[in-house]
Amino acid sequence: MDIPWGSIESRKFTTNVGLITSNGPLGPNVMAAEWTHHISYSPGLVMVNINAQNKATAENIQKTKEFGVNIAAEDQNIPASIAGGSSGASIDKIKALKELGVEFYDGKKIKAPMIKGAALNIECKLIKSEKMGSHIMFIGEAVDVKAGDKKPLTFSEGKYWLLDREAAK
C-alpha cells in the first residue's frame, strides 16, 4: 500500500529539516530533506533519503561519495523553502541563497559547502546507498560535526514548526 506524498497520512509524520549539501558533477547544491536521521552513535552514522528523481543531489553524492547534513535552525525556514522548492539541475540554489544573505563555509573534510548558522552541521563520507522504493537511502559516516546554538526547525503537516516548549514525559 502506498502512502503518497502530500497525503493526510504522510503529513502526520514530524521530522527535522535537513539541508543536504553536495558538490559534484552538477556543481554545488543544497536540497531540503525531511528524512534525515541519526542512526548510530558509534560510529556516528546519518541516513538521508532522497527522492530518486532529485538528480542533482543524488548524482553528486553518488559520484563524490560525500555530503553535508545541515539541520536547519529555527530561523532558517526561508532557506529551507528555497532549497526544497526547486531542482539543483535547473537553478543555482547556492547562488540564490547567497543573494538572500545565507552564508556558507567550506567543509573541513569534504568538498561540499556547509551552511552557517544551522542547528547542526555534519560532514559525511558515504558508506552505503540503496534504492528503497521511490527514494535512495544514503548512509554517511560523520567525519566532522559542529553543533550550533539554535534550536532545530521541524516539519509536520506540510508546515514548519518551532520547538518552543518541553512536554512532560
Side-chain angles (χ1 to χ4, degrees):
M1 177 172 194
D2 292 343
I3 305 173
W5 183 85
S7 68
I8 192 166
E9 296 84 3
S10 72
R11 294 166 57 101
K12 292 297 180 181
F13 287 93
T14 299
T15 63
N16 61 46
V17 181
L19 299 174
I20 310 307
T21 49
S22 62
N23 190 2
L26 297 175
N29 189 42
V30 58
M31 67 160 287
E34 294 172 41
W35 300 335
T36 305
H37 309 281
H38 178 211
I39 61 170
S40 172
Y41 292 115
S42 182
L45 299 178
V46 177
M47 177 183 68
V48 60
N49 290 311
I50 297 173
N51 190 313
Q53 301 302 313
N54 189 317
K55 304 250 186 257
T57 300
E59 186 173 331
N60 278 353
I61 294 172
Q62 288 168 331
K63 296 288 187 199
T64 64
K65 309 291 188 233
E66 62 184 28
F67 58 97
V69 173
N70 306 269
I71 301 298
E74 57 194 354
D75 62 350
Q76 292 179 320
N77 53 310
I78 301 298
S81 292
I82 291 167
S86 56
S87 170
S90 60
I91 185 171
D92 184 343
K93 292 187 276 184
I94 301 284
K95 180 182 176 188
L97 289 171
K98 284 181 178 179
E99 289 173 0
L100 291 174
V102 175
E103 295 182 59
F104 292 83
Y105 67 93
D106 293 333
K108 291 179 186 175
K109 298 190 177 176
I110 64 172
K111 292 186 172 108
M114 301 298 288
I115 300 172
K116 283 187 180 180
L120 179 65
N121 301 97
I122 307 170
E123 297 179 31
C124 296
K125 293 287 187 172
L126 182 66
I127 62 168
K128 180 178 183 163
S129 66
E130 185 172 335
K131 187 155 184 343
M132 303 289 288
S134 59
H135 285 60
I136 302 171
M137 174 186 65
F138 292 101
I139 298 175
E141 183 169 357
V143 294
D144 194 72
V145 179
K146 182 177 97 175
D149 298 338
K150 299 174 187 169
K151 291 180 181 178
L153 186 65
T154 60
F155 185 81
S156 182
E157 299 194 355
K159 300 174 186 174
Y160 296 122
W161 298 88
L162 305 177
L163 298 172
D164 66 343
R165 62 192 168 116
E166 181 180 354
K169 277 188 166 180

